[in-house]
Amino acid sequence: MPSTWTPTSWRAFPVVQQPDWPDEGDLERALKQIASYPPLVFAGEARSLQNALAQVSAGNAFLLQAGDCAESFDDFSANNIREKLRVILQMAVVLTYSLGVPTVKVGRIAGQFAKPRSSATEKIGDLEIPSFRGHIVNDPTPTPAARIPDPDRLVQAYHQSASTLNLVRAFTKGGFADLSRVHAWTQEFVGSSPEGQRYEQLATEIDRALRFMRACGVDTENTSSLHEVDVYTSHEALLLGYEEALTRQDSLTGGWYDCSAHMLWIGERTRQLDGAHIEFLRGVGNPVGCKIGAATDVDYVLELCQALNPARVPGRLTLISRMGADKVEDALRPLLRAVTDAGHPVVWACDPMHANTFTSTSGHKTRHFDDILREISGFVNAHRAEGTWPGGIHVELTGDNVTECLGGADDLQVADLVDRYHTVCDPRLNARQGLDLAFAVAELIRSSGFA
Ligand code: PEP
Ligand code: CO
């Protein structure tokens, strides 16, 4: 039997990937301050997301989890947030329209700052300096001083998350996400492209469907689901002190919720069964995710399900495979079978980004659109073979016209990467590539006989 959980019980477990804060006292002061601040999300919202994810686990909905690899303190503006929302809304409309099931929208947004690193230090010439761990920890400038972890950044991340979430709520509930504005979600640089044109066609069909509904007497004016959407927030729960400071007891149920985001996930590097990250997340009431790489075995995944969702609550646990285009089909199938046989109701999502990353000849960390699509294809094939539902995708993207991932409809080449390579961490799909991916994924799933 696991021992009693409290918001601090993780502190007794081995914890990896935490920054080397120079002064414990400064860290404690910052965390105390955050603990005194209001929660960013409410428990009831986390429960709504869990109910929506329960529908995904039952095969009645699709999960689109998308956003930055790492949010940036420098690239923080209303424009940036709006553009990201636009592409997420566009992709969701394409998926919903093509698959005929609701799309559950979860952003890697309003708190996705902290990054795990494969190495604690990096070499700049002859100098060895601490690695960049996200703006919530240190500054990416490659100097020893910039890389010293600064606890004031935890407080700044809280405030940026609060402002971001405020705008997300305004955009999604205040008219911007109204289905009658489906045409207006297209960015200028997408509009004239082939996938932009394809989207325009679909938007016109939606307009016609809305007119048809009104003609039939349906009161579309007063149907709130046509005018508002739910976009939930999520991030990797990496810095456990920060997560603990935002963990609050729900006055309604008495349960503990990590109110830094609606959904939290555990990364590939922090998912040790006897480690602090699993200990922390097992006790919060939010829906949680866990990344699983190609080396994941059946015994591990069953123990993981048992640790994070012993009560087998549908929607509580999302397993996000990130196995690589060449490996996913074979590596995933035994896991699908074992988890299904054990009766664990999980959401299966595909992260086609993190195991398909390489460094280009130009020295940029990049991914090829074709590999991303190939991984999703292998994921869908595995589900078809095992009779399970390919529940969703987890992707890194931005609404901006960046040049970070290769290929896609405009066939970005290595020589193009240098033009607009703006990410502070991993390469993201741009808005055209994101939209293109949504069409391709919908086709893949449909042609596999799922919808
Ligand atoms: C990420 O999602 O940005 C990430 C670091 O993923 P993973 O833990 O799967 O490597
Ligand atoms: Co990433």
Side-chain angles (χ1 to χ4, degrees), residues 113-125:
F113 290 105
K115 298 314 298 175
R117 303 317 304 234
S118 352
S119 167
T121 58
E122 82 178 288
K123 271 236 152 152
I124 303 290

Side-chain angles (χ1 to χ4, degrees), residues 62-395:
F62 192 77
L63 168 65
L64 172 63
Q65 191 169 13
D68 279 307
C69 179
E71 288 172 275
S72 160
F73 284 0
D74 305 328
D75 196 7
F76 170 44
S77 67
N79 264 4
N80 175 288
I81 297 163
R82 188 190 54 232
E83 296 313 297
K84 211 173 308 168
L85 274 176
R86 276 186 176 182
V87 65
I88 292 174
L89 291 175
Q90 282 190 306
M91 290 173 73
V93 148
V94 168
L95 289 163
T96 304
Y97 195 80
S98 312
L99 300 179
V101 295
T103 302
V104 180
K105 297 165 276 297
V106 181
R108 289 175 62 115
I109 199 168
Q112 174 50 29
F113 290 105
K115 298 314 298 175
R117 303 317 304 234
S118 352
S119 167
T121 58
E122 82 178 288
K123 271 236 152 152
I124 303 290
D126 285 341
L127 207 59
E128 190 162 351
I129 62 172
S131 296
F132 172 57
R133 289 181 180 273
H135 279 166
I136 192 171
V137 174
N138 56 7
D139 186 280
T141 310
T143 65
R147 296 290 174 85
I148 298 172
D150 175 1
D152 286 345
R153 288 176 169 269
L154 294 163
V155 179
Q156 193 177 340
Y158 169 89
H159 289 302
Q160 183 164 324
S161 301
S163 312
T164 303
L165 186 52
N166 182 51
L167 207 58
V168 169
R169 292 188 195 279
F171 277 134
T172 52
K173 305 292 177 191
F176 181 77
D178 195 305
L179 205 52
S180 67
R181 287 175 49 91
V182 67
H183 288 282
W185 301 340
T186 308
Q187 293 96 318
E188 253 165 51
F189 77 96
V190 177
S192 54
S193 68
E195 59 283 3
Q197 299 283 309
R198 203 169 159 195
Y199 175 80
E200 275 306 294
Q201 253 173 29
L202 188 145
T204 302
E205 284 175 39
I206 290 173
D207 276 346
R208 284 181 49 199
L210 287 173
R211 275 207 306 277
F212 175 73
M213 282 160 69
R214 278 193 292 274
C216 293
V218 176
D219 183 1
T220 58
E221 272 308 300
N222 292 309
T223 306
S224 66
S225 59
L226 297 175
H227 308 295
E228 300 179 354
V229 295
D230 291 319
V231 173
Y232 295 98
T233 62
S234 71
H235 61 256
E236 177 173 350
L238 185 71
L239 303 180
L240 293 179
Y242 178 85
E243 303 302 334
E244 176 194 315
L246 282 163
T247 296
R248 311 291 163 85
Q249 199 160 17
D250 176 28
S251 53
L252 220 61
T253 62
W256 290 94
Y257 283 80
D258 182 347
C259 297
S260 70
H262 299 112
M263 177 183 182
L264 289 313
W265 78 85
I266 303 176
E268 170 72 357
R269 294 164 192 78
T270 51
R271 58 178 174 80
Q272 300 77 15
L273 288 168
D274 56 357
H277 288 84
I278 289 195
E279 170 59 19
F280 177 73
L281 278 194
R282 84 176 168 89
V284 299
N286 312 57
V288 298
C290 188
K291 297 285 197 84
I292 48 173
T296 310
D297 64 31
V298 160
D299 292 343
Y300 171 86
V301 89
L302 293 178
E303 281 188 64
L304 183 70
C305 292
Q306 190 56 34
L308 290 174
N309 192 15
R312 302 175 185 223
V313 179
R316 154 75 176 166
L317 179 60
T318 298
L319 294 178
I320 308 157
S321 59
R322 32 88 82 221
M323 300 184 160
D326 296 328
K327 296 190 180 156
V328 59
E329 194 168 339
D330 291 341
L332 188 58
R333 283 190 59 179
L335 307 184
L336 299 179
R337 205 173 312 144
V339 170
T340 306
D341 288 350
H344 275 288
V346 307
V347 170
W348 294 103
C350 174
D351 165 356
M353 316 295 291
H354 286 91
N356 295 312
T357 314
F358 63 95
T359 303
S360 70
T361 47
S362 60
H364 296 90
K365 206 174 172 192
T366 190
R367 294 154 174 163
H368 201 291
F369 186 88
D370 293 348
D371 294 332
I372 292 169
L373 200 54
R374 258 192 328 119
E375 174 143 7
I376 299 175
S377 171
F379 171 82
V380 172
N381 287 345
H383 282 281
R384 189 184 42 197
E386 298 300 331
T388 42
W389 169 239
I393 54 171
H394 178 122
V395 292

